[in-house]
Amino acid sequence: MTSTVFCVGGDLEVRRLGFGAMHLPTEPGPARDASLAVARRAVELGVTLIDTAYLYGGGANEELLTEALHPCPEGLLITTKVGVARSDSSGEWRLDGRPAVLREQVEQALRRLGVERIELLQLLRIDPETPLADQVGTLRDLRAEGKIGRIGLSEVTVGELNQAREIVEIASVQNRYSLLDREHEPVLAACEAAGIAFLPWRPVAWGKSGAKAEVASVATELDATPTQVALAWLLGHSPVILPIPGTARIDHLEEDLVAECLEVTPVHRDRLDRLTEVV
């Protein structure tokens, strides 16, 4: 039977099927009120892993989660990401992994989340203009200072992951991955071999799974939705996969979490395993 829990970093137990907060509107008004309700409902339903980032609204998404959930219930992990900044001249986002920037963004995240330590802090991307050792080394130093509990990476290659692991323990990797998009299968394999949590972003290919006739057929046969099938496939594909589907609707949230109980038969899984398409 597929395990429903995973210990991030070997010691922090979370429910494998988490929630991605990126799609939650943060502007004042009814949409924000609905976002608060979705975040609270996720926790009510037993979600213990919620993913956010400074990039999502320049910290507004983190503030939304704090308003909805602070003080966080025991056992709830809110993981956030740093390593991007807005250009002063154009206002556009760009990668920025300079040590001073990472330090400042971690301090801001601590304030916005209302915590003294971020239990899992992930680097949004490797900044090609800053040595990887400087970026990961800064996070290692912040961990030593007690401001970070565990360190994760995002959108990395196997080589970058190995290079980072020579500097500090890596607890998680967050790469794009789904039933229809397995470009990063080698990275997943490396994570599985090392016991590193793999958090696929865009885990249901932006809802495109249902457009595949084979996925739709399996969903019909299992009396499920294509999204549920895609999530159940991920949970069964590797024990280190922690999907973080996102939605701004409570009914979709509730449907997503049912995937944890969906029994995908070996025959159905074989049919799904043969599907792959980079999207």
Side-chain angles (χ1 to χ4, degrees), residues 179 204 207-212 215-217 219-220 224-231:
L179 170 62
V204 293
K208 294 180 180 179
S209 301
K212 275 287 188 180
V215 180
S217 176
T220 298
T225 68
T227 292
Q228 289 169 339
V229 168
L231 291 171

Side-chain angles (χ1 to χ4, degrees), residues 18-21 39 42-43 47-52 65 69 76-79:
F19 175 70
V43 174
V47 169
T48 56
L49 169 61
I50 296 180
D51 175 82
T52 184
L65 292 175
L69 303 171
L76 175 63
L77 169 63
I78 297 180
T79 174

Side-chain angles (χ1 to χ4, degrees), residues 36 38 60 89 122 146 210 239 259:
L36 295 170
V38 169
S89 57
Q122 302 177 99

Side-chain angles (χ1 to χ4, degrees), residues 87-198:
S87 168
D88 292 334
S89 57
S90 68
E92 295 181 354
W93 290 100
R94 56 182 173 79
L95 298 180
D96 196 335
R98 291 174 296 171
V101 172
L102 295 180
R103 279 189 164 274
E104 176 61 21
Q105 290 188 357
V106 168
E107 292 290 352
Q108 292 175 0
L110 289 167
R111 175 182 55 78
R112 284 190 293 266
L113 293 171
V115 296
E116 295 182 355
R117 184 169 88 157
I118 298 170
E119 292 300 336
L120 176 61
L121 189 284
Q122 302 177 99
L123 187 62
L124 186 78
R125 297 287 189 278
I126 301 292
D127 177 3
E129 297 183 5
T130 302
L132 182 148
D134 290 351
Q135 298 174 70
V136 177
T138 299
L139 300 184
R140 176 199 58 203
D141 294 344
L142 286 164
R143 189 188 68 172
E145 295 166 20
K147 296 178 180 180
I148 295 173
R150 296 154 196 83
I151 296 167
L153 304 172
S154 183
E155 283 303 286
V156 291
T157 65
V158 172
E160 289 168 336
L161 173 59
N162 290 338
Q163 186 180 348
R165 293 182 66 207
E166 292 177 358
I167 300 167
V168 71
E169 297 88 352
I170 299 299
S172 70
V173 167
Q174 188 167 334
N175 278 22
R176 190 190 71 252
Y177 188 87
S178 71
L179 170 62
L180 302 181
D181 182 358
R182 307 180 207 173
E183 175 186 349
H184 294 295
E185 192 78 36
V187 181
L188 170 60
C191 288
E192 186 170 331
I196 295 171
F198 186 91

